[in-house]
Amino acid sequence: MAAKNAYIADYLERHKDEILDRWRKAAKEDSTQAERLAQMDDRELLDHLPALTEAMIGVLRGEQDSPVEDDARRHGHQRRLDGYSVVDVLWELTTFRRVFLAVLDEASAAVSDWIPVDGSKTILDLLDLCARVSIDQYVKEAEQERDAAASRAGILETQRQRFLSTLSHELRNQIQPILLGLHRLKDTGPSAGQLRAIEMIERQTRHQSFLIEDLLDLDRTQIGKVDLRRSLVDLRDCVRHAAETNQAEVDLKSLDVQLELPADPIYAFVDRERFCQIANNLMSNAVKFTPNQGTIVWRLFEESAWQVMSIRDSGVGIKARDLSHIFDIFFQGEVPANIRQGGLGIGLPVVKNLVELHGATIEVRSSGEGAGAEFIVRVPAPRQ
């Protein structure tokens, strides 16, 4: 058996280049691998496949320290760095195995690929070992890289949340003194021009306050710190509050706001403050994207086991491709140039988060650009 192994080793030594040439030919017959092969230089091949062949020859010659596994690990490591997928690595090693056995079979008709090498391993075992070790090394490094990236992403997310929270609190602390100062200025008997200026500053300050609250709420919902204080709330109050809060912007654009509210209360078991915030954000969004002299219609009604709150506008509408992203954080779809975009792209994500915290749902409908939009919130009706 030793003589046969030595014969095979010598034969393979003489045909090492042929193994690589056959591998190249096999690669060229596969369209995807042929493209990759055309971009590779000989170094990328000569660093690995011939090294595996040398290691196999060493084992056949009885060299105890033949580095089969070490060479296979280096192969998996380098191929990952070269941008191979695990499927590419497996294809390369499978092709190497097939070519190696073909050359081996030509050595002698009496030599079989299953002959023992050291009493327990066969040539097939060694070839399979090469493939397994190379793939294992590739997967191990890929998983380590993934885990390191996940860890870095986690740290960055924690830092981002801390920054947003700190920034929002610091900005909010500046708002109340400004509003208090404006309130005192109103009590000093300002002229009509001065009063308009004060009201403009107050309006913009309150708008900034809403943005800051949205930032805070976005942070709270993401880390689960929003506490809902539920009570039986008449949703008509939330709609009226939203209309009143945005009245200054409505007047500036001469919008027609219609409140189609039922005569009887529409109750829901919700957090009053948070649900009024939902209505206010939806109203603010409608005002922003509705052109001058446009229409905004609020509706409240009962539907099976739900209390339904709807706001429809005659604004710029939403393109079909944007509908599925409208509640994504920081997303801002395309709007006509005559519409002032503004905002941070967080108002609607905050609405969606708060709605879902209540066990409610929200959907958006639009027939496309220029066709307006409708947001529909469905809240579970209170149990009788």
Side-chain angles (χ1 to χ4, degrees):
M1 187 61 67
K4 283 188 176 181
N5 288 356
Y7 169 75
I8 297 170
D10 290 341
Y11 185 88
L12 290 174
E13 181 72 37
R14 294 192 302 271
H15 292 79
K16 287 188 299 185
D17 292 341
E18 184 179 345
I19 292 174
L20 184 57
D21 288 340
R22 289 192 182 189
W23 185 93
R24 287 180 186 274
K25 183 178 179 181
K28 289 179 179 179
E29 292 174 355
D30 183 286
S31 59
T32 57
Q33 296 302 325
E35 183 178 350
R36 182 187 296 278
L37 187 63
Q39 299 173 353
M40 293 173 65
D41 55 37
D42 281 346
R43 179 197 61 77
E44 293 180 284
L45 293 174
L46 295 175
D47 281 354
H48 300 291
L49 294 181
L52 291 176
T53 304
E54 290 281 2
M56 293 289 294
I57 293 172
V59 172
L60 288 167
R61 284 177 172 163
E63 298 174 5
Q64 298 299 319
D65 56 349
S66 182
V68 173
E69 293 190 35
D70 290 341
D71 283 323
R73 289 192 186 93
R74 280 193 290 272
H75 176 268
H77 167 75
Q78 187 60 45
R79 288 305 183 242
R80 190 185 68 82
L81 295 181
D82 291 340
Y84 278 50
S85 70
V86 69
V87 174
D88 293 332
V89 177
L90 184 59
W91 180 94
E92 182 178 56
L93 291 170
T94 301
T95 304
F96 171 74
R97 181 181 191 273
R98 185 173 68 251
V99 169
F100 189 93
L101 290 178
V103 173
L104 184 64
D105 285 342
E106 294 169 4
S108 171
V111 175
S112 300
D113 54 354
W114 48 264
I115 62 173
V117 173
D118 59 6
S120 59
K121 293 181 180 177
T122 68
I123 292 175
L124 278 176
D125 291 333
L126 289 175
L127 289 169
D128 290 343
L129 176 66
C130 287
R132 185 173 68 252
V133 171
S134 178
I135 294 294
D136 284 348
Q137 184 66 27
Y138 179 102
V139 172
K140 177 182 177 181
E141 292 185 13
E143 289 178 345
Q144 289 174 343
E145 185 177 33
R146 179 202 62 198
D147 292 343
S151 177
R152 290 194 299 270
I155 293 172
L156 288 173
E157 176 62 15
T158 299
Q159 292 173 340
R160 184 197 67 81
Q161 290 178 353
R162 186 178 299 124
F163 170 78
L164 280 178
S165 179
T166 302
L167 175 65
S168 300
H169 281 292
E170 289 297 323
L171 292 175
R172 187 172 62 172
N173 289 339
Q174 312 304 317
I175 296 294
Q176 290 307 317
I178 295 174
L179 291 175
L180 179 61
L182 291 172
H183 181 71
R184 290 183 175 178
L185 283 175
K186 284 184 177 180
D187 293 339
T188 61
S191 65
Q194 291 172 332
L195 182 59
R196 283 195 299 272
I198 291 172
E199 289 176 343
M200 180 190 67
I201 296 171
E202 182 180 24
R203 184 168 60 251
Q204 295 303 318
T205 303
R206 291 191 184 280
H207 179 67
Q208 293 302 313
S209 178
F210 293 145
L211 289 178
I212 293 168
E213 286 299 326
D214 282 348
L215 277 173
L216 279 170
D217 285 332
L218 187 66
D219 182 60
R220 291 190 192 105
T221 55
Q222 289 187 342
I223 59 180
K225 290 187 176 180
V226 174
D227 294 323
L228 298 180
R229 298 178 175 85
R230 295 177 183 263
S231 62
L232 206 58
V233 176
D234 183 355
L235 296 182
R236 297 179 305 172
D237 295 340
C238 293
V239 171
R240 294 188 184 108
H241 177 269
E244 293 169 2
T245 302
N246 291 272
Q247 189 60 49
E249 287 78 8
V250 168
D251 291 341
L252 284 175
K253 300 179 76 172
S254 301
L255 300 178
D256 177 19
V257 177
Q258 302 172 17
L259 305 184
E260 297 182 1
L261 309 180
D264 296 328
I266 298 291
Y267 287 116
F269 196 63
V270 297
D271 183 312
R272 176 184 292 274
E273 180 181 347
R274 295 300 181 186
F275 231 81
C276 285
Q277 182 182 354
I278 290 169
N280 182 63
N281 278 17
L282 291 175
M283 181 68 181
S284 175
N285 185 76
V287 171
K288 182 190 305 180
F289 293 107
T290 301
N292 292 352
Q293 299 180 340
T295 302
I296 297 174
V297 179
W298 277 100
R299 296 173 61 227
L300 276 176
F301 55 94
E302 296 179 344
E303 182 183 88
S304 186
W306 301 93
Q307 310 288 51
V308 183
M309 181 170 69
S310 161
I311 179 171
R312 186 181 71 252
D313 63 63
S314 61
V316 298
I318 304 170
K319 294 182 178 181
R321 68 171 180 266
D322 293 340
L323 280 173
S324 60
H325 302 289
I326 203 69
F327 295 109
D328 292 349
I329 185 172
F330 304 133
F331 175 80
Q332 295 186 359
E334 296 180 19
V335 296
N338 63 333
I339 297 294
R340 184 178 64 86
Q341 182 84 356
L344 301 175
I346 60 176
L348 291 178
V350 167
V351 166
K352 186 173 187 292
N353 285 337
L354 291 176
V355 165
E356 291 178 347
L357 281 174
H358 283 85
T361 66
I362 183 170
E363 66 171 306
V364 57
R365 298 174 181 174
S366 177
S367 298
E369 192 172 2
E374 181 180 17
F375 289 83
I376 304 170
V377 177
R378 290 181 172 86
V379 194
R383 295 179 180 178
Q384 299 297 327

